[in-house]
Amino acid sequence: MPHFHFVSPGLTADGTRPNFDRWDGIAGMTEFYRGKRVVVTGCASGIGAQTARVLAAQGAHVIGLDQRRGEEATAGFFEVDLGDPVAVDAVAEAIGGRVDVLFNCAGMAPTQAKMAILKVNYLGTRHLAERIAALMGAGGAIVSVSSNGGLRWRTRRATLLDLVAQASFADGMSWLKRHEGEIVNGYAFAKEALTVWTLHESARFIKRGIRLNCTSPGAVQTPMLSEIEEKIPAAAIDGATDPIGRRSEAEEQVGPLLFLGSDAASYVNGVDLSVDGGYSAIVALRE
Ligand SMILES: NC(=O)c1ccc[n+]([C@@H]2O[C@H](COP(=O)([O-])OP(=O)(O)OC[C@H]3O[C@@H](n4cnc5c(N)ncnc54)[C@H](O)[C@@H]3O)[C@@H](O)[C@H]2O)c1
């Protein structure tokens, strides 16, 4: 059976350019996910739960992954700890078949232990993406939720590229253990690594017709932010909501994610899209 070679309805056979006979650009975005097989991590809560909900409403076949079950009803669900590469391999095997789009929304809060965060938010997320990419054909897309907590990746570019060059989960883990003492903020470093991995690997993935992009949200009102607020004063969090002057709702993160995963973004690759009300723009001009 010639499966795995997926041709997106809106793209040419090599998956890299719109088929203008059938393509209706941005107008087709709401129809894009109908019948698509989509994997969403972190589907039990917050941004992942909202992403899974909207995708299901748009007619996608949503396979949710999380370390625990949430209230969202996805067509399929796998319980998995993204910090466990053997479990990630088993889930990718169990998903099998063709996958059209992967949304990496799962993540651990900055309040958790440093090495656990690095393992889940970077190493495990990357490992899953590589495994799911093997189930995609030309026209596939991977969109990860990074963070504007990682917006200073340029200040550590060489170090982060060295980490990204570690080919396997185990190699990455050894690298992190060797450099543990130098990593001050595990959450920021993990998000910087995820962003740099996305930018770097996008050049490689696109040769297979798979686009790789990420979003960097600012403060989003989810259970994770409530957890953060128990340790960090609300005023410090709201300091990073400048200039829009309010926090994001989880739903407001979904549109940019769905856009990047769809054919409406067929020429968008290797992008870190800030979804933070303009905060990173201010920082970029200031620094
Ligand atoms: N909330 C914010 O302010 C904010 C800001 C920037 C980026 N982000 C990022 O957005 C993403 C979604 O976060 P959220 O705010 O919706 O948080 P959330 O806590 O509501 O949801 C995160 C989900 O990830 C799952 N998860 C955590 N560790 C896991 C593991 N080891 N294996 C499998 N699943 C795991 C959790 O069970 C949970 O369902 C995260 O990557 C987070 O870092 C959030």
Side-chain angles (χ1 to χ4, degrees), residues 41-50 65-70 78-84 88 104-110 112 116-117 119-121 125 144-150 187 191 194 215-228 237 247-248 250 253 275:
T41 75
C43 66
S45 180
I47 297 168
Q50 291 305 329
L65 268 53
D66 206 296
Q67 63 186 353
R68 63 186 170 86
R69 242 183 207 289
F78 292 96
E79 199 172 297
V80 62
D81 174 4
L82 288 176
D84 177 353
V88 168
N104 284 316
C105 301
M108 289 178 74
Q112 302 297 316
I117 295 173
K119 209 155 73 160
V120 171
N121 291 10
T125 298
S144 302
V145 180
S146 190
S147 171
N148 77 352
Y187 184 83
K191 292 299 189 181
L194 183 59
T215 64
S216 281
V220 188
Q221 200 57 59
T222 65
M224 180 184 287
L225 197 60
S226 307
E227 190 183 328
I228 295 169
I237 297 167
R247 299 174 184 186
S248 165
Q253 298 296 322
V275 191

Side-chain angles (χ1 to χ4, degrees), residues 151-152 239-240 242-243 278-287:
L151 72 89
R152 290 187 174 80
D242 207 27
Y279 178 72
S280 55
I282 288 181
V283 172
L285 292 174
R286 202 169 50 204
E287 292 179 352

